[in-house]
Amino acid sequence: MLPLSNNIRTIMSSVPDTNAVIAYLRQLHDRITDGIERIDGGTKFRCDAWTRPEGGGGESRVLSQGNLFEQAGINFSHVVGTTLPPSATASRPELVGAKWTAAGISLVIHPRNPYVPTTHANVRFFIAEKPGVRTTWWFGGGFDLTPYYAFDEDVLHWHRVAQQACEPFGADVYEKYKDECDKYFFLKHRNETRGVGGLFFDDLNKLGFERSFEFQRSVGDHFLDAYLPIVERRKNTPFGERERQFQLYRRGRYVEFNLVYDRGTLFGLQSNGRTESILMSMPPLVRWEYDYKPEAGSAEAKLYDYLKPRNWLKELG
């Protein structure tokens, strides 16, 4: 779950229905699990139900050493607390001591074949309540793609589906949340994006509960449509040790982002979340290499042309 940030709006045009959100998240958890198992071709997720001493719990599902996926993790959580952690109140001191509820789905998929991209997605809901302070709630989430060998048709498909998820909510919504994704998943110390982006939205409540919830569902419902066709297209591409070593090297960027920048990781650890579930996003194998530079003109060097904010639909469409 992500903490509160500076620009949370508290316009309450309708009453949040937390039960409806949780019911949707559980259904989405099952649907994505089924979709990943089907395309993997036989490997099943290990399912671990867990409880949090401070309140609430969830279920972590992890697929390890599958036919296609070296590791895939899909978490559902519904947790409550009586005091927000420091990462959530640093910019909102009026919420110190507020009780809170957070619910969400978070997933990261690490394929074995370097030609199949890694992906991440999450959808979440947060509500904080404190006597004398107006109740604050918001939705957040998105999905992003991290290829090791980038193909224009894959990137174009990914962003077309992202645009389709946003279309019913306004002509400028895709561009807004595409830009937010580029900004959030940016490794400043590397001066590169983590991948080719997608969507990232946060603090969403100004549309009112019903419309904001509709948008969250649209993003969640479009994830498999965005990802599975790319997996089908690339899953049988032959690869060798060179490609595998490059994949492991680039996975290091995933670790760097999660441990240095990711607000969800920080919030989860500060709120005494389940460590195994928080860190399930880490790749199972990874390597670092001092001052690595890909060979000029190589397929590996081509990837770096994709690791910057670009108008994919205009350039590739």
Side-chain angles (χ1 to χ4, degrees), residues 101-264:
T101 298
I105 295 289
S106 179
L107 68 90
V108 177
I109 299 172
H110 293 289
R112 178 178 288 104
N113 189 320
Y115 288 100
V116 180
T118 285
T119 190
H120 155 265
N122 69 78
V123 286
R124 57 193 179 273
F125 177 73
F126 192 99
I127 185 167
E129 300 173 280
K130 181 180 178 180
V133 178
R134 195 173 191 178
T135 297
T136 297
W137 60 265
W138 56 274
F139 290 94
F143 49 67
D144 63 284
L145 193 71
T146 305
Y148 306 97
Y149 293 88
F151 298 89
D152 287 356
E153 60 183 320
D154 296 349
V155 178
L156 183 59
H157 168 79
W158 181 260
H159 280 274
R160 279 176 173 166
V161 176
Q163 184 185 48
Q164 291 165 9
C166 298
E167 277 178 341
F169 302 89
D172 62 340
V173 174
Y174 162 75
E175 288 294 342
K176 176 182 179 180
Y177 293 137
K178 183 266 185 191
D179 290 345
E180 289 298 318
C181 188
D182 290 338
K183 292 174 184 176
Y184 183 72
F185 294 105
F186 190 83
L187 288 84
K188 299 178 182 66
H189 63 286
R190 299 287 190 179
N191 194 33
E192 63 186 41
T193 54
R194 189 171 76 173
V196 297
L199 300 173
F200 178 83
F201 67 99
D202 207 1
D203 307 339
L204 179 64
N205 58 20
K206 65 181 179 179
L207 301 176
F209 174 78
E210 291 297 338
R211 192 63 170 159
S212 299
F213 186 24
E214 285 179 18
F215 181 74
Q216 184 201 58
R217 295 199 303 270
S218 185
V219 172
D221 292 347
H222 278 82
F223 170 72
L224 289 177
D225 293 339
Y227 187 56
L228 294 189
I230 298 173
V231 178
E232 287 283 4
R233 189 181 296 133
R234 305 298 166 194
K235 66 182 183 179
N236 294 320
T237 304
F239 68 93
E241 187 63 18
R242 172 174 174 157
E243 292 86 355
R244 176 63 167 167
Q245 288 301 310
F246 184 65
Q247 177 197 46
L248 297 183
Y249 171 76
R250 288 299 309 177
R251 280 180 176 177
R253 299 293 203 269
Y254 224 87
V255 175
E256 291 175 23
F257 181 87
N258 280 17
L259 296 182
V260 176
Y261 298 113
D262 189 66
R263 300 203 305 264

